[in-house]
Amino acid sequence: MREFIVEADGGSRGNPGPAGYGALVADAATGETLAEAAEYIGVATNNVAEYRGLLAGLRAAHALDPGARVHVRMDSKLVVEQMSGRWKIKHPDMKPLAAEARGVFAPGQVTYEWIPRERNKHADRLANEAMDAGAKGGQWSPSASRAALDTPPEPAGPPGDATAGAARARAALAKSRPTESPAAGAGGGAGADSVVAAAEARAEAGGDAVRPTAPGSEARSADARGEEHPAAARSGGRSALAGGEERTAAAGGESRSAVTGGEALSVAAPSGGRPATVRSAEHPAVTGRAAGAAGRGEERAAPGERKQPSTPGWSAAPDMGAPATFVLLRHGETPLTPQKRFSGSGGTDPSLSDAGREQARRVAEALARRGTVQAIVASPLARTRETAGIVAARLGLDVAVDDGLRETDFGAWEGLTFGEVRDRHPDDLNAWLADPAARPTGGGESFTETAVRIEATREKLVAAYAGRTVLLVTHVTPIKTFVRLALGAPDQALFRMELSAASLSAVAYYADGNASVRLFNDTSHLRP
């Protein structure tokens, strides 16, 4: 059975205003563009133009092979979530277009994926060409199109493939380096994308919204950022949790990218404000404030730090010694967990359920087999202290409590589901989804405030447990924040990581300030 990739986009210069769409069909195996479509559609909204682009792309794919499997990639969170059936379609202009799109192929043949805008450049250029043609009183012409020429080809690979991301990172680094070191390549490695694209999403409030764009580009819809737990890839890698184990000569260690929502979160971005030294243009997998210098082969040190000599490749980097390794354990299930209710530090403080206690016992056995944890620190909430106690009893360790590891306070949303919050407090929810500094209803804690707290806690614990492996028993938001800061990812990355109950993640912190994400959302110990 053939497989196609459909990429589509649409825009409106005015919302509503002069609008157009662009779409293409590519062979999923080779990446070859098989068909293009674009059209100026007159006055319309952003979202209507995006749906028209989707419809055109699906029809072009159907014309090539009605029996093919189709994977749609768009940078409109609204269209992707609505066509995936997770969000309701409220706008009357979009309902018939969505119904038409669903009818092009048989049910089950089409899947959808959100991608950041920079990965949708081909369709974006087609849409802009269509709007440019309309502004001149004409229509888009395939013979005059430069969209494919102006758009760098995507590397071959499945949607969100880490290899493809690494290829794009290498290409970007190559452009930024005017000359290549003679020794380069001997120790170079393929990192993930060096900067994570900031999510363009905003919450949908039943209609269209306007988002400013770069000069010369159409105003685009402000799509929703998604709920707390969208589908996200689980880490399949296994890394040793012991401090000093599985350490490479590079300061950043043997970093793996955390794949979330099909996107590779890079370990080459700044590590949440911790000063770091970037040693080599051939080491894209290190973190640090001087990430931009990596592409130029430069080295920068924070004030007061001793500047290290710049050396190409990984093998020449000095040994940083054993890092402080945080093994991040999310507590086991509570009665609220399976119901996906907000459960922060301002609610009823539930204890573990029977299922949660069994999960904690399985974690304890897995950590005992590894034999690497040297200390345990827990959040003060009941569910984390209970989880930590079960693990500590098995490992023969004491439990220290640190208030900095507590969950975010979700205010009046505590105990409610996402849908209940959306129905009762839609404006507050939209603001919270759009701005990390926004607080939940009732004066809870913003994600920005949580991040400041976690950064301070991280600095204190790194200093206290230098060279040791410590188990931190905590919650969803703190663990995601530790990972986000280590990756230098934007605040929106919190919405693109799935973290299961009783899962294990790990981050190592080196003496020069570099951070290495070793593990994310490992639940292998919970399987029978």
Side-chain angles (χ1 to χ4, degrees):
M1 179 181 291
R2 296 187 71 182
E3 295 188 13
F4 296 140
I5 299 292
V6 168
E7 294 180 354
D9 202 2
S12 168
R13 294 169 178 171
N15 196 42
Y21 67 75
L24 63 108
V25 182
D27 185 282
T30 66
E32 178 188 3
T33 299
L34 305 176
E36 291 179 321
E39 184 182 5
Y40 172 68
I41 59 175
V43 175
T45 65
N46 290 321
N47 296 148
V48 166
E50 288 166 340
Y51 264 106
R52 289 286 299 273
L54 167 64
L55 189 56
L58 290 174
R59 286 172 173 165
H62 189 272
L64 291 170
D65 187 348
R69 292 190 181 277
V70 178
H71 186 73
V72 176
R73 303 195 296 203
M74 298 181 68
D75 61 40
S76 170
K77 186 75 171 177
L78 180 85
V79 174
V80 168
E81 294 296 320
Q82 288 180 341
M83 291 302 298
S84 298
R86 291 185 288 268
W87 290 358
K88 292 181 180 179
I89 302 175
K90 302 176 182 178
H91 201 285
D93 291 343
M94 291 187 281
K95 287 182 178 180
L97 293 171
E100 284 187 71
R102 289 194 182 98
V104 175
F105 282 93
Q109 283 184 246
V110 183
T111 57
Y112 291 86
E113 176 193 7
W114 177 87
I115 58 175
R117 188 180 180 194
E118 60 269 22
R119 289 180 55 197
N120 203 29
K121 287 183 179 178
H122 193 159
D124 177 84
R125 291 181 188 277
L126 287 168
N128 275 286
E129 285 184 350
M131 286 184 281
D132 290 342
K136 298 175 183 177
Q139 276 291 353
W140 176 81
S141 169
S143 61
S145 176
R146 287 184 49 85
L149 298 176
D150 293 339
T151 306
E154 285 285 316
D161 182 50
T163 302
R168 286 193 296 273
R170 288 195 299 272
L173 286 170
K175 287 183 180 179
S176 67
R177 290 198 299 268
T179 59
E180 194 79 40
S181 166
D193 295 331
S194 62
V195 176
V196 181
E200 299 172 333
R202 294 294 185 268
E204 181 220 8
D208 302 308
V210 179
R211 176 173 61 77
T213 58
S217 179
E218 78 281 9
R220 299 168 55 79
S221 61
D223 305 324
R225 267 159 66 167
E227 300 186 10
E228 171 67 11
H229 298 291
R234 292 175 172 81
S235 173
R238 295 290 178 268
S239 297
L241 298 181
E245 287 187 24
E246 210 177 285
R247 204 173 69 244
T248 68
E254 192 178 27
S255 300
R256 300 286 195 275
S257 61
V259 180
T260 58
E263 299 171 53
L265 294 184
S266 167
V267 291
S271 58
R274 289 176 57 79
T277 303
V278 177
R279 293 183 178 78
S280 170
E282 289 304 307
H283 188 202
V286 297
T287 60
R289 181 169 294 171
R296 300 186 295 275
E298 299 176 7
E299 171 215 290
R300 296 181 183 176
E305 283 192 313
R306 182 171 62 86
K307 190 173 182 181
Q308 300 287 344
S310 178
T311 52
W314 292 5
S315 58
D319 187 358
M320 288 290 102
T325 301
F326 292 175
V327 181
L328 304 167
L329 170 60
R330 184 189 171 192
H331 61 81
E333 286 187 5
T334 74
L336 300 181
T337 307
Q339 301 173 30
K340 295 186 177 179
R341 296 184 179 276
F342 282 94
S343 183
S345 58
T348 58
D349 195 14
S351 298
L352 296 180
S353 63
D354 289 341
R357 282 184 280 274
E358 175 59 26
Q359 290 170 336
R361 283 190 286 271
R362 294 193 179 194
V363 173
E365 290 300 325
L367 293 175
R369 287 192 296 271
R370 293 174 181 177
T372 56
V373 171
Q374 298 165 287
I376 301 176
V377 182
S379 153
L381 299 181
R383 53 197 181 272
T384 43
R385 286 190 289 108
E386 188 175 1
T387 302
I390 293 172
V391 176
R394 178 66 180 85
L395 300 184
L397 297 171
D398 294 327
V399 177
V401 174
D402 193 308
D403 187 65
L405 295 175
R406 70 183 185 276
E407 180 59 287
T408 300
D409 182 349
F410 293 112
W413 301 352
E414 295 279 357
L416 302 179
T417 66
F418 188 91
E420 288 170 341
V421 173
R422 183 176 53 211
D423 292 340
R424 299 180 192 183
H425 310 287
D427 293 338
D428 290 348
L429 179 63
N430 288 342
W432 182 75
L433 290 169
D435 184 0
R439 293 178 173 179
T441 306
E445 190 179 19
S446 72
F447 283 150
T448 298
E449 291 168 325
T450 300
V452 170
R453 167 163 56 83
I454 294 301
E455 283 188 271
T457 303
R458 177 196 64 193
E459 297 300 316
K460 177 178 63 177
L461 295 176
V462 165
Y465 294 98
R468 303 174 68 194
T469 297
V470 55
L471 179 69
L472 304 186
V473 187
T474 180
H475 309 264
V476 170
T477 310
I479 293 174
K480 289 183 178 182
T481 303
F482 275 114
V483 172
R484 180 184 73 77
L485 293 174
L487 296 172
D491 298 292
Q492 295 91 333
L494 292 175
F495 294 94
R496 287 168 176 78
M497 288 186 268
E498 179 175 328
L499 201 69
S500 304
S503 63
L504 290 169
S505 302
V507 182
Y509 298 92
Y510 289 86
D512 65 349
N514 286 317
S516 172
V517 176
R518 298 286 186 88
L519 194 68
F520 182 74
N521 198 38
D522 178 17
T523 57
S524 59
H525 49 276
L526 301 179
R527 292 194 286 269

